[in-house]
Amino acid sequence: MSYAIVGFGKIGQALARAFARKNIDVTVASRRPPEALAPQAQAIGPTVVARSLREALEADTIILAVPFGEHREVAKALPNWRGKTVIDAMNALVPPEELDGLPSSAFVAKAFTGAKLVKGFNHLIAATLAADPVVEGGHRVVFLSSDDDDATAPVAALAKQLGFAPVKLGKLNEGGALVHARGRVWGQLIFQDLFRKEQ
């Protein structure tokens, strides 16, 4: 399984740190050329490699960590997303009417034709996400939701590999609504920094 993080702001870098901590290879890309990202990527760890967006999108699993308004540009980079898992780590700070009344991830899924889309890694602030998720015998919780049941299991496995405790919330418009931000309305679980004792 190969992984890429698209977007190398605070959240993208926080996730890159999680991969580096476990020595898992991950490609990082953004609108900026790879050579602009390379110094920061190398500073995070040797398993974090900056590449072009086109190269990053060759990965099996792509984590979207771009500002919400840029997801359509990323989606246009491939004619079809079949066979790819897209993890939506974004929060939509736009009015609900701009999302056609959908949860933000369901709206995002429309742009990524053929992809399996999972909402995840979006409910914590970057500094918390970047910190070691194992504390006093507990694992920091990350919430996952998807309309595709098969898509959640490999993302949960990745979350565990990174040291997190994945909690599945079910479909995007059901449990997933607890971790969605739309406009100024934040799901009840956003920013909840929870731990689970056993893995």
Side-chain angles (χ1 to χ4, degrees), residues 66-137:
V66 295
F68 185 80
E70 292 175 22
H71 75 270
R72 286 192 194 89
E73 284 306 305
V74 177
K76 287 178 194 162
L78 285 182
N80 192 303
W81 289 77
R82 201 168 289 116
K84 305 276 185 198
T85 296
V86 173
I87 302 172
D88 174 12
M90 304 178 297
N91 285 311
L93 305 178
V94 296
E97 51 274 18
E98 284 185 33
L99 301 173
D100 303 336
L102 295 168
S104 60
S105 290
F107 184 82
V108 170
K110 294 199 305 184
F112 291 85
T113 315
K116 293 180 172 187
L117 188 125
V118 178
K119 181 81 170 175
F121 298 102
N122 68 297
H123 86 283
L124 296 168
I125 60 168
T128 304
L129 197 58
D132 190 334
V134 183
V135 177
E136 294 172 17

Side-chain angles (χ1 to χ4, degrees), residues 15 17 31 43 45 90 98 104 107 115 136 145 149 162 177:
L15 287 163
R17 285 181 200 288
R31 285 174 306 184
M90 304 178 297
E98 284 185 33
S104 60
F107 184 82
E136 294 172 17
S145 57
D149 294 338
L162 295 174

Side-chain angles (χ1 to χ4, degrees), residues 5-9 11-13 28-31 37 53 63-67:
I5 300 166
V6 176
F8 204 50
I11 294 292
Q13 289 181 33
V28 296
S30 80
R31 285 174 306 184
L37 309 183
L53 178 62
I63 304 176
L64 278 182
V66 295

